[in-house]
Amino acid sequence: MVQEGDGRMAGGVDLVVIGADGGPDRAFGGAALAPDGARLLAEVLPGMCFDTGAAGCRVTTVAPDADANAMLTAVRDAAQHPGRWLLVCLVGQLVVDPRGRRLALVTAGSTADNAYRRGLAWDWVVSAMVHGDQEEALLLVDAVVDRDAWAALERGEDGAGELLSYSRVPLWGRIGRHAPGSRYAPGRRGRDAVLPGGEGSFSRALTTVLRQGVPGAPAAVAPLDLQPAVAALTDGGEAAGSSGAPGARLLVPPHAGRLLMRNRAAVRGALAGLSLSEELLAVLWRESAPTEPPSA
């Protein structure tokens, strides 16, 4: 486990990024690029919180081959720090329990027989977030599921889909359907070939939008304001609750909430309209860059 940043001051942000590599089992090839997606989120998200910046964000990244206990401990530890926001990112492949009602993130070394028992249970993560000491929480999800898990999600309130429809914490992300192929090859024709962390995935789309910004939007934007731009870069997504094709659900962030992100496009537009020296423009740009703390 690697921890970066200070961010322990009250009013800060705790960010936990978990990108779980499911290991060599062919059935869990959907998690092959999960560490890449987690790495992107850990690099881009810290400096994008509008009123804290990187200096006010405490970042915890969990090793791709960590077990479920280490992952859950990271979430619980972050949840216990007083702060304004708790952001948890889950990147990888999800499986369901034998009854098809609970989800778990596949962890390294899992097999088809023990993946759910070894995995990081979704409800454990949500419970830790609900009982945390932050004012608000948001769970970011970039994941794929196999045929059985997808069927459980499609059953809605009679299956694991209830966890998405009536989540106890706000959700934002994408869950796609994955057909096992080779570890780095797409699934069969007609199935979702997007891997978490790969092209068309939520983590890649979100980090691209945050880096580029949204032209015409204000300098501070909520997750819901970013959603259309993220969805445009996300492959095959439809809102949660619709079946979609070939099989992907977008988890839309809530209307409420006070989490605001920096819109780099607004900063660039403002600077471009000013008649300033090149030296001053350079200083202003450095001050507003997402990897720097906000100016006083």
Side-chain angles (χ1 to χ4, degrees), residues 29 38 43 50 59-60 64 70 79-80 82 140 166 216 223 231 239 245 247 255 260 263 265:
E43 289 174 356
F50 184 75
V59 185
T60 302
Q80 291 172 2
L140 280 65
Y166 303 101
H255 291 274
L260 294 177
N263 180 14

Side-chain angles (χ1 to χ4, degrees), residues 48-203:
M48 296 307 300
C49 294
F50 184 75
D51 60 349
T52 61
C57 186
R58 179 182 184 274
V59 185
T60 302
T61 58
V62 182
D65 59 352
D67 61 21
N69 287 332
M71 294 176 179
L72 183 60
T73 297
V75 176
R76 285 176 171 169
D77 287 349
Q80 291 172 2
H81 297 145
R84 298 182 64 182
W85 297 291
L86 171 63
L87 304 181
V88 176
C89 306
L90 297 183
V91 187
Q93 185 163 342
L94 298 169
V95 292
V96 293
D97 71 308
R99 297 178 58 193
R101 299 202 47 102
R102 301 176 68 191
L103 291 167
L105 185 71
V106 176
T107 54
S110 297
T111 66
D113 295 330
N114 66 15
Y116 178 77
R117 296 194 306 273
R118 290 175 58 101
L120 174 65
W122 177 287
D123 50 320
W124 294 352
V125 174
V126 170
S127 178
M129 296 177 70
V130 167
H131 294 95
D133 205 12
Q134 281 79 14
E135 296 178 14
E136 297 186 24
L138 180 64
L139 178 57
L140 280 65
V141 184
D142 186 5
V144 290
V145 296
D146 61 15
R147 179 180 61 185
D148 293 339
W150 184 259
L153 293 177
E154 289 287 89
R155 291 200 299 270
E157 296 183 25
D158 294 328
E162 183 178 13
L163 299 174
L164 308 183
S165 301
Y166 303 101
S167 177
R168 293 190 293 162
V169 297
L171 304 175
W172 190 16
R174 178 187 190 275
I175 297 179
R177 184 177 177 184
H178 175 70
S182 66
R183 179 167 168 76
Y184 292 97
R188 293 190 297 273
R189 183 179 178 87
R191 302 294 177 85
D192 184 25
V194 176
L195 299 185
E199 292 295 331
S201 69
F202 172 75
S203 55

Side-chain angles (χ1 to χ4, degrees), residues 5 18 35-36 43 53 88-89 114 148 161 166 172 213 229-230 234 239 257 265 279-280 287 291 294:
I18 299 173
D36 296 338
E43 289 174 356
V88 176
C89 306
N114 66 15
D148 293 339
Y166 303 101
W172 190 16
V230 173
T234 305
E279 293 81 3
L280 183 54
E287 288 296 321
T291 55

